[in-house]
Amino acid sequence: FTFCNYHCMAEWQSEFQWGDAHPRWKGGAPRSYGIGWKVARRIAVERSGGICERCGKRAVEEVHHRLPLRLFRNLKDGHNLSNLRAVCGICHDVEHRHLALALPIIDLVIAKRKDLLP
């Protein structure tokens, strides 16, 4: 799919994702990342030794989900350590720019898998 902007894409995702238990549901945003997030985040930072796992130069500021949580039916599954990357703020922005380029393709695969597309 091609969207006119990020807001349009978010609206489509809200409409066609997995319902009110999902963090991107139109009815509201989650108050937290759910059960297991704090522990998984701490372990990811410890694994990195406090240094960005992308550039290897700057201190960790964020823990990035390689695949967005909205792609998981269960938030806890999204917190698997293989899906987490401890990164500095600059690299976190880069990760999100790269992810934004891939999301339309990922959404297309999911829509096809859920029989939302012919």
Side-chain angles (χ1 to χ4, degrees):
F1 296 117
T2 302
F3 299 97
C4 56
N5 59 39
Y6 182 80
H7 178 73
C8 289
M9 182 180 76
E11 283 295 313
W12 181 88
Q13 290 166 345
S14 293
E15 186 73 27
F16 293 103
Q17 294 298 320
W18 293 302
D20 62 357
H22 201 276
R24 295 292 292 265
W25 177 58
K26 283 183 179 179
R31 292 187 189 136
S32 74
Y33 275 174
I35 295 172
W37 168 241
K38 289 181 181 179
V39 172
R41 185 187 193 292
R42 180 181 45 79
I43 292 170
V45 171
E46 288 173 358
R47 174 186 67 196
S48 75
I51 301 298
C52 177
E53 292 181 315
R54 187 171 194 282
C55 70
K57 298 175 186 174
R58 293 176 288 273
V60 168
E61 296 177 35
E62 306 283 346
V63 174
H64 174 70
H65 288 87
R66 291 177 177 203
L67 289 176
L69 285 179
R70 67 179 181 74
L71 299 179
F72 296 88
R73 291 177 193 253
N74 180 343
L75 289 179
K76 190 174 181 181
D77 293 342
H79 302 322
N80 185 299
L81 290 176
S82 65
N83 191 43
L84 301 178
R85 194 172 198 186
V87 292
C88 65
I90 292 170
C91 288
H92 194 221
D93 290 344
V94 172
E95 291 283 339
H96 276 275
R97 283 197 301 272
H98 289 169
L99 187 58
L101 294 172
L103 281 177
I105 296 167
I106 293 169
D107 286 333
L108 182 62
V109 170
I110 290 170
K112 181 70 175 169
R113 191 176 343 145
K114 294 173 74 178
D115 293 326
L116 296 174
L117 296 173

